[in-house]
């Protein structure tokens, strides 16, 4: 058993935020039926790099799912979708608000065929508000939500975060909303519409930076690798690279000063308490940087870890996936793909003691499960499926195989 065994998810999403959400649900045991257009999820073509003919981007976020191709622009396609929704628990979509209504499959329609259905909608700005009809993208949300303005080095141009954190983070909020709605439905029998957006996600993560602004009225500024409220808590340059330290309290500060052979700093009136160090960071940080540049990153990390001061390296990807702890935590996994062979993917971050997640299958080929789902869930015959394929309502992978040959 996995935690969400028995939960059935109809996945209408594509690109990143929705597919990430549904991948995590699938990792936890939900049956995820990925509904794709005849041309497939856009990211199937996003590359290079490709693994054989499969996009590395698509492979990274679509494992444990079944691919069913339905043309939702046809009446028959919409009927098939609504038939699938009748026995489903959750529908996930990340179209621009209003698209489902134009297709005739919005929440009002879905709940008519299944009063317990939970619809999770992911968008750039949400289903309501003046910006709701604008297209939303990760980089735009990072800029509008404040993260770009506080990322980068002081006095230099704002910087986008390297990961697509607005997309992925909103996918995680969608998961939280879905789980909450499932709990509510278990108590009441009633489904609901979960509305999450990229902009709301970034704003919700401002936390202490927003708190600082509300308290002081001052805009937070980029700190580079530093923290606005804690010193020293940042990235430093060593003789051969970079490393991070986190001196989060006064006990650690005393240990830190002793470790770097500067015990008098711990009682220096300008640095004795964290509030003093924050005020006088412009003096303290250059002094510390001068010391740290004399030895390697590993020298300092070993020194600090030896006395219990949190520290760590700045790793590149070729180092991350050789790290013994990362491997021990199974954050690198593999699955057999029908055309790409062994596919490597990031692991499952949630560890359950009783119902662990599992990578059961690699990301699906386009339409790989169309026949299986139409037969198993809707009791369609081979003849009916063939008619739907010929009419362009659905697309099955066997058709793809013929094209490849």
């Amino acid at each position: 058993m996995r935690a969400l065994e028995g939960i059935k998810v109809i996945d209408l999403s594509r690109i990143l935020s929705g597919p990430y959400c549904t991948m995590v649900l699938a990792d936890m045991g939900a049956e995820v039926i990925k509904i794709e257009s005849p041309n497939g999820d856009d990211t199937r073509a996003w590359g290079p790099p490709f693994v054989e003919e499969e996009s590395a981007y698509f492979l990274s976020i679509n494992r444990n799912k079944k691919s069913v191709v339905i043309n939702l622009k046809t009446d028959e396609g919409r009927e098939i979708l609504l038939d699938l929704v009748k026995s489903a628990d959750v529908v996930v979509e990340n179209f621009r608000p209003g698209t489902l209504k134009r297709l005739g499959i919005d929440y009002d329609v879905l709940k008519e065929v299944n009063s317990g259905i939970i619809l999770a909608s992911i968008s750039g700005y949400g289903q309501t508000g003046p910006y709701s009809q604008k297209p939303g993208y990760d980089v735009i949300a990072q800029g509008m939500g404040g993260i770009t303005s506080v990322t980068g080095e002081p006095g230099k141009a704002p910087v986008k975060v390297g990961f697509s954190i607005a997309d992925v983070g909103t996918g995680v909020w969608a998961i939280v909303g879905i789980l909450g709605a499932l709990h509510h439905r278990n108590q009441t029998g009633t489904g609901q519409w979960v509305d999450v957006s990229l902009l709301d996600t970034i704003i919700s993560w401002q936390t202490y930076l927003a708190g600082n602004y509300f308290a002081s009225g001052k805009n937070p500024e980029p700190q580079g690798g530093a923290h606005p409220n804690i010193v020293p808590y940042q990235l430093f340059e060593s003789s051969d690279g970079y490393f991070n330290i986190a001196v989060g309290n006064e006990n650690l500060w005393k240990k830190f000063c002793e470790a770097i052979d500067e015990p008098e700093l711990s009682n220096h009136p300008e640095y004795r308490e964290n509030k003093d160090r924050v005020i006088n960071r412009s003096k303290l940080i250059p002094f510390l940087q001068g010391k740290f540049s004399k030895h390697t990153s590993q020298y300092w990390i070993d020194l600090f870890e030896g006395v219990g001061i949190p520290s760590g390296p700045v790793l590149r990807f070729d180092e991350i996936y050789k790290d013994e702890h990362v491997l021990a935590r199974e954050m690198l996994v593999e699955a057999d793909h029908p055309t790409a062979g062994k596919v490597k993917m990031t692991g499952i971050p949630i560890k359950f003691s009783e119902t662990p997640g599992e990578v059961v299958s690699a990301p699906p080929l386009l339409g790989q499960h169309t026949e299986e789902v139409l037969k198993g869930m809707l009791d369609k015959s081979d003849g009916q499926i063939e008619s739907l394929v010929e009419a362009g309502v659905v697309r099955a992978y066997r058709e793809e195989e013929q094209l490849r040959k």
Side-chain angles (χ1 to χ4, degrees):
M1 286 288 292
R2 288 179 287 164
L4 294 181
E5 208 81 42
I7 297 297
K8 190 173 295 181
V9 178
I10 305 298
D11 181 9
L12 301 178
S13 69
R14 70 268 186 267
I15 316 298
L16 181 54
S17 56
Y20 186 86
C21 164
T22 55
M23 180 184 72
V24 175
L25 296 175
D27 288 347
M28 291 192 288
E31 180 182 8
V32 175
I33 300 169
K34 182 177 178 70
I35 307 297
E36 299 191 66
S37 71
N39 293 324
D41 188 317
D42 293 351
T43 63
R44 287 185 180 275
W46 285 10
F50 294 93
V51 182
E52 297 300 332
E53 297 180 4
E54 307 300 328
S55 156
Y57 192 120
F58 180 85
L59 292 174
S60 72
I61 47 173
N62 284 288
R63 65 181 176 228
N64 288 342
K65 303 177 187 179
K66 297 177 180 179
S67 173
V68 175
V69 175
I70 303 175
N71 186 348
L72 295 177
K73 294 181 180 179
T74 66
D75 292 337
E76 298 94 330
R78 287 189 291 273
E79 288 177 12
I80 291 171
L81 176 68
L82 293 176
D83 284 342
L84 292 172
V85 168
K86 289 177 182 177
S87 60
D89 300 284
V90 179
V91 174
V92 177
E93 62 94 12
N94 61 347
F95 295 111
R96 194 183 302 189
T99 300
L100 288 190
K101 190 174 184 65
R102 288 193 295 274
L103 289 172
I105 51 174
D106 62 355
Y107 179 61
D108 288 338
V109 173
L110 297 180
K111 70 179 182 180
E112 281 183 12
V113 301
N114 182 347
S115 62
I117 198 68
I118 293 160
L119 172 62
S121 291
I122 301 169
S123 61
Y125 301 96
Q127 302 299 309
T128 60
Y131 301 159
S132 63
Q133 294 303 304
K134 288 186 177 183
Y137 291 89
D138 180 273
V139 65
I140 308 301
Q142 287 196 34
M144 292 183 66
I147 197 167
T148 307
S149 72
V150 297
T151 303
E153 295 294 329
K156 295 186 178 180
V159 176
K160 168 189 171 294
V161 175
F163 293 176
S164 295
I165 61 168
D167 278 327
V168 174
T170 308
V172 173
W173 277 135
I175 295 165
V176 174
I178 288 166
L179 296 179
L182 284 170
H183 177 69
H184 174 262
R185 193 190 66 180
N186 288 342
Q187 294 178 311
T188 66
T190 304
Q192 60 183 301
W193 191 2
V194 177
D195 170 13
V196 293
S197 80
L198 275 62
L199 181 58
D200 292 350
T201 293
I202 296 300
I203 291 174
S204 74
W205 285 349
Q206 291 175 357
T207 60
Y208 59 84
L209 290 175
N212 292 348
Y213 167 72
F214 297 146
S216 69
K218 297 179 180 178
N219 283 319
E221 298 292 338
Q223 301 287 335
H227 193 290
N229 300 97
I230 311 171
V231 175
Y233 187 109
Q234 67 181 80
L235 177 146
F236 285 99
E237 186 173 4
S238 69
S239 63
D240 68 346
Y242 298 89
F243 68 98
N244 282 298
I245 59 171
V247 181
N249 58 51
E250 304 312 331
N251 182 48
L252 288 176
W253 171 241
K254 291 180 180 179
K255 290 183 178 181
F256 172 83
C257 293
E258 292 171 2
I260 64 171
D261 199 27
E262 300 283 351
E264 69 280 0
L265 284 180
S266 65
N267 287 313
H268 192 289
E270 292 184 327
Y271 311 131
R272 185 179 296 116
E273 297 182 7
N274 181 69
K275 61 181 177 62
D276 304 317
R277 298 192 292 276
V278 170
I279 293 170
N280 296 294
R281 74 166 72 225
S282 62
K283 297 179 183 178
L284 178 60
I285 297 305
F287 173 77
L288 295 177
Q289 181 58 74
K291 293 187 70 73
F292 292 144
S293 63
K294 296 176 182 178
H295 296 287
T296 66
S297 294
Q298 197 59 54
Y299 170 88
W300 292 112
I301 291 168
D302 291 342
L303 177 69
F304 292 135
E305 287 186 345
V307 294
I309 296 169
S311 62
V314 177
L315 300 180
R316 296 182 68 86
F317 280 53
D318 61 343
E319 298 168 306
I320 294 169
Y321 292 108
K322 294 175 184 174
D323 186 277
E324 61 180 358
H325 184 79
V326 173
L327 298 178
R329 293 286 291 176
E330 298 182 334
M331 287 309 295
L332 173 62
V333 296
E334 290 184 335
D336 290 314
H337 189 277
T339 61
K342 288 273 187 194
V343 175
K344 291 184 177 180
M345 298 169 285
T346 55
I348 300 172
I350 305 170
K351 317 298 185 185
F352 290 96
S353 65
E354 302 300 325
T355 56
E358 184 180 2
V359 178
V360 177
S361 61
L365 296 166
L366 181 60
Q368 182 177 341
H369 304 94
T370 299
E371 291 182 89
E372 174 191 324
V373 170
L374 295 186
K375 286 180 180 179
M377 289 183 61
L378 303 184
D379 201 28
K380 298 285 187 184
S381 67
D382 289 338
Q384 288 174 312
I385 294 173
E386 186 62 35
S387 296
L388 291 169
V389 170
E390 291 177 356
V393 176
V394 303
R395 188 174 181 178
Y397 177 65
R398 57 187 172 81
E399 179 187 10
E400 294 292 302
E401 288 180 318
Q402 295 300 319
L403 290 173
R404 289 172 187 263
K405 291 176 181 178

